């Protein structure tokens, strides 16, 4: 029985008298148990004892609970009634009798909770995506994985332009969080809470309604959008799993939209003639850009984002950061291609060869395709078919397959596997001869 229970006066937690000093009231019901009454009126249970090293220690058990109800088992840090405080103090006494340093254990638990709280705040989807793009993709890899910028955009980070002044950003600049994108939508959701159902829903959303934050370009569902979302999420959650940020990768076993049949469309000589005339009617900058795609066999963005630093008198030198396979690519320019480049009306002080505003490279390719289709009455085709047309044309003109692969910057055939490891030839003279042969053929067709 406690001291205040043996006296006629009420227990200290029921007293309305305030003191300017801190008071301690001991309890005989449990060794070392005390009620601390602060000058502010708050009351806290503590226990005082000798630690295994012989020093005196104090441990705060929890605030006083005056309700008299025992709704839960007594727990450190929670409100405690007199009975609960006694039970907890007695249990701690049993642990001390086994030479357990309860203060050290308590400090370790508090430190673990703080670390866990910090880790959980840094392990949200929004923070993890930024770290994934920043560390794995942008800075820590010697060459960036292909489509790294597109994957970052799908996950909700935009490196393309600064929202404040519209200027083009560098690849290692600070990204902008896309409004409505995944990094914005799930900025506070821990990555450990994602499961296979969440991955499936996101893939289907991208397929049917568009990438979050990027809008929908067509009314019909797009399997390609779904695959792009699946690939980006797969890379992200694989990175999380490898770095022990999640125990189970929810993207394993996910179903991707099926890949459609390979395209075999290429432009015939008659269609090339119509295409060339349509490009002339379109004018700068899109007409010359499309002509250069046909003459070089390059990919759309390799030409659309061409800058002065990548141009020499008769060569395009693309760094690995601008190619699909991450390898530098030299594209010899035949005379017809240099004539096309020389005829472009450039915007003063603009580093981009093809630009409409002088600050960024050309964009809006969907509208460009609609515009040229109105000028060109041929069966359906895509911009990538121009690359296939160049490849097919060179092959029909007798260019060797390994040279055609070199022109297209493909790693297959003679450059695949072990053969490619030892064969580091770039075939620049052969590539120049092949592209000049193809350009001469195009010149004869369109004249």
């Amino acid at each position: 029985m406690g001291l205040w229970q043996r006296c006629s006066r009420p227990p200290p937690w029921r007293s309305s008298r305030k003191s300017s000093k801190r008071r301690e009231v001991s309890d005989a019901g449990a060794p070392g148990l005390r009620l601390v009454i602060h000058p502010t009126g708050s009351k806290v249970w503590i226990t005082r004892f000798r630690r295994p090293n012989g020093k005196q220690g104090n441990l705060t058990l929890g605030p006083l609970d005056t309700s008299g109800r025992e709704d839960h088992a007594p727990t450190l840090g929670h409100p405690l009634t007199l009975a609960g405080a006694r039970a907890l103090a007695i249990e701690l006494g049993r642990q001390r009798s086994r030479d357990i340093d309860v203060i050290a254990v308590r400090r370790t638990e508090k430190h673990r909770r703080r670390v866990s709280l910090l880790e959980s705040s840094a392990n949200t989807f929004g923070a993890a995506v930024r770290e994934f793009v920043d560390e794995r993709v942008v800075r820590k890899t010697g060459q960036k994985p292909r489509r790294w910028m597109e994957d970052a955009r799908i996950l909700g980070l935009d490196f393309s332009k600064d929202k404040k002044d519209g200027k083009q950003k560098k690849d290692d600049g600070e990204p902008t969080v896309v409004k409505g994108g995944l990094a914005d939508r799930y900025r506070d959701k821990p990555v450990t809470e994602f499961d296979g159902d969440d991955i499936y829903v996101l893939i289907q959303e991208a397929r049917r309604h568009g990438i979050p934050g990027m809008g929908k370009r067509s009314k019909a569902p797009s399997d390609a959008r779904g695959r792009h979302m699946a690939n980006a999420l797969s890379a992200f959650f694989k990175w999380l799993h490898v770095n022990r940020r999640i125990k189970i990768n929810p993207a394993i076993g996910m179903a991707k939209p099926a890949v459609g049949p390979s395209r075999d469309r290429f432009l015939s000589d008659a269609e090339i003639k119509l295409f060339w005339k349509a490009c002339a009617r379109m004018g700068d900058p899109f007409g010359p850009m499309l002509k250069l795609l046909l003459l070089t066999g390059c990919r759309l963005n390799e030409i659309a984002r061409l800058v002065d630093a990548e141009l020499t008198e008769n060569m395009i030198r693309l760094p690995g950061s601008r190619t699909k396979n991450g390898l530098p690519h030299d594209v010899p320019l035949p005379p017809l291609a240099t004539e096309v480049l020389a005829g472009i009306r450039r915007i003063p002080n603009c580093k981009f060869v093809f630009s409409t505003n002088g600050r960024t490279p050309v964009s809006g390719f969907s509208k460009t395709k609609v515009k040229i289709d109105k000028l060109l009455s041929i069966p359906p085709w895509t911009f990538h078919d121009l690359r296939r047309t160049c490849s097919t044309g060179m092959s029909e003109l007798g260019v060797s397959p390994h040279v055609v692969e070199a022109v297209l910057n493909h790693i297959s055939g003679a450059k695949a596997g072990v053969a490619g490891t030892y064969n580091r030839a770039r075939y620049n003279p052969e590539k120049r001869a092949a592209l000049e042969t193809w350009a001469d053929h195009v010149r004869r067709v369109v004249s």
Side-chain angles (χ1 to χ4, degrees):
M1 181 178 294
L3 175 63
W4 55 83
Q5 291 174 304
R6 297 195 301 268
C7 302
S8 59
R9 58 186 179 182
W13 57 81
R14 293 182 182 172
S15 174
S16 60
R17 181 171 60 90
K18 289 187 178 182
S19 172
S20 60
K21 296 182 179 180
R22 178 179 179 274
R23 293 188 297 152
E24 288 189 11
V25 181
S26 61
D27 176 61
L33 179 64
R34 286 172 169 75
L35 180 68
V36 177
I37 305 173
H38 293 282
T40 59
S42 64
K43 304 174 180 65
V44 181
W45 293 109
I46 67 168
T47 181
R48 185 169 294 160
F49 50 83
R50 292 286 177 182
R51 301 179 64 180
N53 58 9
K55 295 182 179 180
Q56 181 173 302
N58 294 323
L59 182 64
T60 300
L61 303 182
L64 172 68
D65 181 359
T66 59
S67 65
R69 297 190 303 270
E70 297 288 343
D71 296 331
H72 55 80
T75 307
L76 275 174
H78 289 252
L80 298 168
T81 62
L82 173 61
R86 285 176 175 174
L88 195 55
I90 292 171
E91 173 59 28
L92 293 175
R94 293 195 188 100
Q95 295 180 25
R96 295 199 311 274
S97 66
R98 299 196 298 269
D99 290 333
I100 297 176
D101 191 342
V102 294
I103 292 181
V105 171
R106 176 64 171 167
R107 288 174 179 172
T108 301
E109 290 177 352
K110 291 175 66 176
H111 176 71
R112 187 180 294 113
R113 282 198 298 269
R114 284 197 298 268
V115 171
S116 177
L117 182 62
L118 291 174
E119 288 181 348
S120 63
S121 63
N123 219 30
T124 60
F125 186 93
V129 163
R130 184 180 289 269
E131 186 177 348
F132 165 69
V133 174
D134 183 51
E135 292 191 4
R136 177 184 179 272
V137 177
V138 178
R139 293 194 176 99
K140 288 193 175 180
T141 55
Q143 62 182 39
K144 302 178 183 67
R146 71 183 194 184
R147 294 183 55 83
W148 74 270
M149 189 178 290
E150 289 78 3
D151 286 348
R153 185 68 173 80
I154 290 172
L155 294 173
L157 298 180
D158 186 12
F159 282 85
S160 60
K161 60 177 63 176
D162 195 323
K163 297 297 183 182
K164 294 182 179 180
D165 55 16
K167 293 182 179 180
Q168 190 75 10
K169 282 189 174 184
K170 296 181 180 179
D171 288 351
D172 58 353
E174 284 296 317
T176 301
V177 177
V178 179
K179 185 177 181 180
L182 297 185
D184 180 35
R185 180 191 296 182
Y186 300 119
R187 59 182 177 273
D188 298 325
K189 181 174 180 176
V191 292
T192 54
E193 295 183 5
F194 283 83
D195 55 24
D197 293 337
D198 295 319
I199 304 298
Y200 175 81
V201 169
L202 289 175
I203 293 174
Q204 293 304 314
E205 178 185 354
R207 178 180 173 272
R208 296 172 182 173
H209 307 293
I211 304 296
M214 296 177 67
K216 186 177 180 181
R217 296 183 180 180
S218 62
K219 296 181 180 179
S222 170
D223 288 341
R225 283 198 307 259
R227 286 194 300 274
H228 293 163
M229 174 62 77
N231 291 335
L233 291 175
S234 177
F236 173 59
F237 281 102
K238 180 180 179 181
W239 177 83
L240 289 173
H241 187 251
V242 168
N243 286 275
R244 300 297 187 267
R245 305 282 286 273
I246 55 177
K247 298 296 184 183
I248 299 175
N249 183 353
I252 293 178
M254 65 180 176
K256 297 181 183 180
V259 179
S262 300
R263 290 182 58 85
D264 56 5
R265 175 83 166 94
F266 63 93
L267 274 60
S268 65
D269 286 353
E271 291 174 331
I272 290 175
K273 186 172 184 178
L274 295 174
F275 168 81
W276 200 266
K277 290 182 179 179
C279 289
R281 294 178 62 185
M282 285 188 69
D284 295 336
F286 293 102
M289 181 195 74
L290 296 178
K291 287 182 179 180
L292 210 58
L293 288 176
L294 176 67
L295 293 173
T296 62
C298 289
R299 293 181 174 86
L300 177 59
N301 279 329
E302 290 174 349
I303 296 298
R305 297 180 179 180
L306 192 64
V307 296
D308 289 329
E310 298 167 347
L311 270 177
T312 63
E313 183 179 353
N314 58 0
M315 181 84 74
I316 294 176
R317 296 186 179 275
L318 297 173
S321 60
R322 289 248 292 116
T323 61
K324 184 176 180 180
N325 58 17
L327 298 177
H329 181 39
D330 291 344
V331 185
L333 293 174
L336 183 56
T338 57
E339 292 173 16
V340 171
L341 285 170
I344 301 173
R345 289 175 293 180
R346 297 286 303 276
I347 298 177
N349 301 321
C350 177
K351 67 176 182 178
F352 296 103
V353 176
F354 303 102
S355 177
T356 56
N357 56 19
R359 301 187 305 273
T360 60
V362 290
S363 58
F365 302 122
S366 298
K367 294 180 180 179
T368 302
K369 183 63 167 55
V370 171
K371 185 176 180 180
I372 194 171
D373 280 342
K374 291 180 180 179
L375 303 172
L376 183 62
S377 299
I378 62 174
W381 64 286
T382 67
F383 288 142
H384 198 73
D385 294 337
L386 300 175
R387 178 175 169 85
R388 190 177 297 106
T389 301
C390 176
S391 172
T392 304
M394 287 187 294
S395 298
E396 291 181 345
L397 292 170
V399 178
S400 300
H402 70 279
V403 177
V404 174
E405 291 175 356
V407 170
L408 300 178
N409 198 21
H410 277 173
I411 304 178
S412 59
K415 297 295 287 291
V418 176
T421 302
Y422 293 97
N423 182 5
R424 313 304 293 180
R426 305 180 77 169
Y427 300 113
N428 278 348
E430 293 85 350
K431 286 159 59 176
R432 179 173 297 280
L435 287 172
E436 287 180 356
T437 300
W438 167 241
D440 290 342
H441 175 76
V442 172
R443 189 190 294 272
R444 288 193 299 270
V445 168
V446 302
S447 297

